Amino acid sequence: MQRRFALKAVLATGALAVVTACAPAEPQAPDIVQIASTNDDFSTLVTALQAADLVETLQGEGPFTVFAPTNAAFEKLPAGTVETLLMPENQAQLAEILTYHVVPGAVTSAQLAGQRLSTATVQGTEVHIDGTGEMVTVEGANVILADIEASNGVIHVIDSVIMP
């Protein structure tokens, strides 16, 4: 009798292990680049990240806070600016501009509310953030959508491209 019980217990444990192994894993939240890539409003940003060879960096562990300009933000730049920056010979300049939009760590809008501060960017210089008004601004650009959570940080959508 005990052998049958032991055999049933072993079989049940084995069946449970098989079911667990076949069960779908928890879906992981998309990373910053995956989120940007699936949103048409960021097609210029994604193209720029590719041209600057920053895709792999922003798919890294992070965490990062990205102040992401929309296509409309890029359109505000003087005519021909984006096209010029996307040229291979301007890769370093483009990377400098894009990394100026990235702050180490995951910073939410709640952490910025009511604060005025300067913080270092991945580019190396500081960016000025003002959360004391009705809207958070970064170097004068308005945060128009905040706290898009990614697996490796947070995205805040801004309405202008900021320049170092």
Side-chain angles (χ1 to χ4, degrees), residues 29-47 49-50 59 71 148-150 155:
D31 63 45
I32 289 167
V33 175
Q34 289 170 326
I35 290 172
S37 296
T38 59
N39 186 326
D40 290 340
D41 287 336
F42 295 126
S43 61
T44 304
L45 175 61
V46 171
T47 299
L49 290 171
Q50 291 166 342
Q59 288 179 321
N71 293 345
I148 300 171
E149 292 185 30
I155 300 170

Side-chain angles (χ1 to χ4, degrees), residues 65 67 100 103-104 106-121 125-133 136-140 156 162:
T65 298
F67 296 101
Y100 187 63
V103 174
V107 182
T108 65
S109 60
Q111 293 169 304
L112 299 173
Q115 304 224 20
R116 188 175 287 160
L117 56 108
S118 293
T119 188
T121 65
T125 60
E126 290 193 343
V127 67
H128 303 287
I129 301 170
D130 187 351
T132 60
V136 173
T137 62
V138 182
E139 290 294 324
H156 301 295
I162 56 176

Side-chain angles (χ1 to χ4, degrees), residues 8-78:
K8 284 181 181 180
V10 168
L11 289 175
T13 303
L16 181 60
V18 168
V19 170
T20 303
C22 293
E26 287 284 323
Q28 183 169 344
D31 63 45
I32 289 167
V33 175
Q34 289 170 326
I35 290 172
S37 296
T38 59
N39 186 326
D40 290 340
D41 287 336
F42 295 126
S43 61
T44 304
L45 175 61
V46 171
T47 299
L49 290 171
Q50 291 166 342
D53 198 23
L54 291 173
V55 170
E56 191 174 310
T57 301
L58 287 178
Q59 288 179 321
E61 188 174 321
F64 305 106
T65 298
V66 177
F67 296 101
T70 61
N71 293 345
F74 281 101
E75 291 170 8
K76 289 181 180 180
L77 294 172

